[in-house]
Amino acid sequence: MNVHESEKIAGTLVSLGYVATDDINFADVIVFNTCCIRDSAEKKIYAKIGDVKGLKRLNELLIVCVVGCMTQQTGMSDTLKSKFPFIDIVLGTSNVHLLGEKIKEISSFYLKNRKKIYEITDSSTEIVNDFYELRTSYPNAWVNIMYGCNNYCTYCIVPFVRGRERSRSPQSILDEVKRLLDEGYKEITLLGQNVNSYFSDNWNFAKLLDAIGALSFKFRLRFMTSHPKDFSSEIVDIMTAHKSICNFIHLPVQAGSNNVLKAMGRQYTREKYLDLISMIRNKIPDCGITSDIMVGFPTESDEDFFETLELVKAVRFTNAFTFVYSPRTGTVAQKMLQIPANIKKERITKLIELQNQISQEKSYEYLNKTYEILVEGVKDNDLACGKTSNGRLVNFKCGESKIGDFLNIHVDKVKASALWGHIENGRE
Ligand code: 5AD
Ligand code: SF4
C-alpha cells in the first residue's frame, strides 16, 4: 500500500516538472512517505529525516516534505517541528493530494518569505483519487479500492492514522482497471486494509471481484488484505469462476490461541480460521495462502505461543510475514502488561525457523512441474523472475523483452527454498 502511495507522490512531482534522481545530493525536493505501524519503522524514518539536515544547509532551496501515516499520530506535528525545524511541508494521510499545490506555493516565494506548512486534518475525509501516478511495478498495477479501517484491533494504529473505512465507487475502480489493462498492465492488485468489507453503491467485494474478474483481457487479478472475520465462501466461488483471479489469498491470522485472538479484538476464533482454510482448500486445492503472524502480544503465555506454532504446523502457509508485537501509542494493548523483550525474541526465532522449514518443504511440491509464470523482472545475465498464480516466485533465464509475458516454466531445481526453472519447449 505504501509503495503505491509513493507512486502517487512521485507522479505528483513529475507533473510539476521534477525528474527522479538516484543521488539525494542532487534533489530539489525530498518527500518522506512514512509508516508507523511498528516502532522500528518510525525509528528508521527519524534517522533518515535527520540525515537530510546537512543537505538543507548546503542547499537552502531544498524542499523537505514529510507525509504518510506517521504524521497523523497525535502530537506528531509538534514533535516533527521541534526535532526537525528544517522540514518545509508536513501533510496528513487525507491531504497528501495537496502536495503538488503546497510545493508550488512555497517554491514561488523568496527564501526569506517561505513559510512552513503543517496540515494534518481528520484522517477520515472523503477520498481524493485524482492522482497522476508514476507506476514503477509493471507488469503489476496496484489499485486502491478502499481506505482506512474500522476494526480497531487492539494492537494496531492504522484506524487512528488512516481513519474510518471509505470505499471508492465501483465505477471509478472499473474505469481505472480497464484503463490500466488497455495500457498493457498484466496484473492488477486490489488494495485495502480489509478488502472484504468493501461496500459502495450497493456493491460488496464479491460483486466487485466478479465484475473485474470478468473483464475480457488476458491478465491476473490479486487482492489484499483479507480479514478472516469477513472472508466468505462466496469470494472463493468467484475466484474459481474466473481464470483471471489468482489462486492466492493473504489471510492474516495474527495468533493461534483463542485467548490472544480475543485480547487482540480479532473477532474470530482459531477454529473459525481453521474452518476457513479447509473451505478454501476444498474449493481450490492448490491455493497459495500466506499470513501475518505476531508474537509477544501482551498476555501471550507459553501455551498461547505453542498454539500459534501448532496452527502454523496445521495450516502450512506458503509464506508468512512474522512480527514482534510493538506497543503503539493510543492503542488498547499499549496499556496492557508487556512481555519481556528476551521472550519475544525467543518466540520470533522459533516461529521463523518453523515457517522457513515449512516454506522449504513446500517448495519441493513444485519440483518437476510446469507453471504459467508472469515475467516480472529481468536482471543482468538474463536472470528473470516471476510468480505462479498461487504466488510462488520462480527464477529462470529469459531476455528483458519478455517482461510482462506469460511463459510456461518447468521447475527443475529447489535451492534453499527458492525455485528455479526453464522455459518449456526450448531451454534458455
Ligand atoms: N506490532 C507488530 N506488528 C503489528 N502489525 C500491526 N500492528 C502491529 C504492532 N503494533 C502487523 C500485523 C498486520 C501487519 C500489517 O502488521 O500483523 O497484519
Ligand atoms: Fe490494523 Fe486490524 Fe485494521 Fe488490519 S484489520 S489494519 S490489523 S486494525
Side-chain angles (χ1 to χ4, degrees):
M1 204 161 298
N2 268 26
V3 173
H4 184 39
E5 265 163 17
S6 294
E7 291 180 339
K8 293 179 181 178
I9 293 165
T12 301
L13 296 179
V14 166
S15 64
L16 291 180
Y18 292 101
V19 287
T21 171
D22 289 334
D23 188 342
I24 196 167
N25 295 297
F26 294 128
D28 297 307
V29 178
I30 298 172
V31 184
F32 292 98
N33 185 20
T34 62
C35 166
C36 61
I37 196 147
R38 280 169 290 277
D39 188 47
S40 50
E42 209 171 299
K43 288 217 171 82
K44 253 187 241 161
I45 200 80
Y46 277 146
K48 292 227 181 275
I49 299 174
D51 287 348
V52 164
K53 191 174 174 186
L55 292 179
K56 188 85 178 180
R57 249 190 255 123
L58 292 174
N59 173 12
E60 281 183 296
L61 287 172
L62 175 66
I63 299 175
V64 179
C65 318
V66 180
V67 302
C69 60
M70 187 177 105
T71 65
Q72 202 75 42
Q73 284 173 280
T74 316
M76 184 52 75
S77 203
D78 291 334
T79 308
L80 290 172
K81 240 183 235 175
S82 64
K83 252 180 165 345
F84 310 108
F86 56 85
I87 294 174
D88 298 285
I89 300 175
V90 175
L91 294 175
T93 47
S94 61
N95 41 14
V96 63
H97 61 281
L98 301 175
L99 184 67
E101 199 179 290
K102 300 296 172 193
I103 290 176
K104 262 202 283 192
E105 192 180 320
I106 69 163
S107 55
S108 66
F109 285 107
Y110 289 115
L111 204 54
K112 64 179 172 46
N113 292 328
R114 252 198 201 179
K115 57 174 182 171
K116 304 277 179 194
I117 297 173
Y118 289 83
E119 283 189 21
I120 313 292
T121 48
D122 175 10
S123 54
S124 286
T125 50
E126 71 181 282
I127 297 171
V128 180
N129 214 67
D130 58 347
F131 283 94
Y132 164 73
E133 289 130 331
L134 187 71
R135 294 190 178 268
T136 52
S137 54
Y138 178 84
N140 175 66
W142 311 99
V143 174
N144 284 112
I145 62 165
M146 60 185 302
Y147 298 87
C149 180
N150 288 352
N151 289 313
Y152 289 93
C153 300
T154 57
Y155 51 81
C156 187
I157 199 162
V158 168
F160 299 95
V161 293
R162 297 209 169 259
R164 310 286 294 168
E165 277 174 10
R166 288 144 289 156
S167 295
R168 283 177 67 191
S169 77
Q171 199 51 54
S172 73
I173 297 169
L174 276 163
D175 288 348
E176 182 175 352
V177 171
K178 277 190 221 149
R179 182 174 47 75
L180 290 164
L181 295 173
D182 273 335
E183 283 172 14
Y185 285 89
K186 298 294 166 57
E187 182 177 79
I188 301 291
T189 307
L190 307 177
L191 292 176
Q193 305 291 349
N194 175 13
V195 288
N196 304 96
S197 62
Y198 172 86
F199 196 78
S200 175
D201 297 352
N202 258 333
W203 284 47
N204 63 8
F205 182 58
K207 191 165 176 192
L208 181 71
L209 194 64
D210 198 23
I212 300 176
L215 292 173
S216 50
F217 287 83
K218 165 81 178 155
F219 76 113
R220 282 184 171 181
L221 181 56
R222 299 185 187 274
F223 54 90
M224 66 190 296
T225 294
S226 294
H227 194 307
K229 85 174 164 62
D230 299 314
F231 192 81
S232 65
S233 60
E234 195 188 0
I235 301 291
V236 185
D237 291 338
I238 289 162
M239 290 172 72
T240 58
H242 299 289
K243 266 178 82 178
S244 57
I245 307 180
C246 292
N247 292 343
F248 177 81
I249 302 168
H250 181 59
L251 197 65
V253 66
Q254 310 297 359
S257 116
N258 282 335
N259 295 335
V260 175
L261 288 172
K262 188 151 189 246
M264 286 177 161
R266 290 289 291 176
Q267 304 175 59
Y268 54 85
T269 59
R270 169 196 181 86
E271 293 73 29
K272 157 117 194 265
Y273 188 86
L274 291 171
D275 284 351
L276 277 181
I277 300 290
S278 305
M279 180 272 290
I280 295 165
R281 292 213 167 121
N282 277 335
K283 290 177 190 261
I284 311 178
D286 68 336
C287 193
I289 305 178
T290 59
S291 201
D292 293 347
I293 310 170
M294 203 186 297
V295 301
F297 181 82
T299 76
E300 184 188 65
S301 64
D302 284 345
E303 293 86 86
D304 291 325
F305 175 60
F306 177 75
E307 288 198 51
T308 296
L309 294 180
E310 289 301 301
L311 181 134
V312 169
K313 281 185 205 161
V315 177
R316 295 177 67 78
F317 294 110
T318 310
N319 199 356
F321 300 96
T322 52
F323 304 106
V324 172
Y325 164 74
S326 154
R328 304 284 63 210
T329 309
T331 58
V332 171
Q334 188 227 0
K335 296 169 199 99
M336 296 163 77
L337 189 65
Q338 303 295 315
I339 305 259
N342 61 327
I343 295 186
K344 287 184 180 174
K345 195 157 178 238
E346 264 171 40
R347 289 182 185 166
I348 194 82
T349 309
K350 277 193 193 143
L351 177 62
I352 291 172
E353 258 171 32
L354 173 62
Q355 182 56 47
N356 283 350
Q357 185 198 330
I358 293 169
S359 297
Q360 194 157 354
E361 285 165 9
K362 283 183 86 83
S363 292
Y364 285 92
E365 293 169 12
Y366 291 78
L367 197 56
N368 300 324
K369 293 185 188 136
T370 298
Y371 293 89
E372 186 182 64
I373 302 286
L374 171 61
V375 186
E376 291 177 19
V378 179
K379 286 197 253 171
D380 296 343
N381 302 324
D382 289 349
L383 189 58
C385 67
K387 287 196 207 81
T388 60
S389 165
N390 67 9
R392 274 305 311 260
L393 200 71
V394 183
N395 302 291
F396 50 95
K397 288 256 179 165
C398 79
E400 214 173 341
S401 62
K402 296 273 200 296
I403 294 179
D405 284 2
F406 290 93
L407 296 179
N408 285 329
I409 302 289
H410 190 77
V411 176
D412 53 22
K413 204 165 39 182
V414 175
K415 241 181 12 192
S417 58
L419 304 181
W420 293 79
H422 62 268
I423 300 177
E424 203 168 61
N425 307 326
R427 293 188 79 100
E428 285 196 21

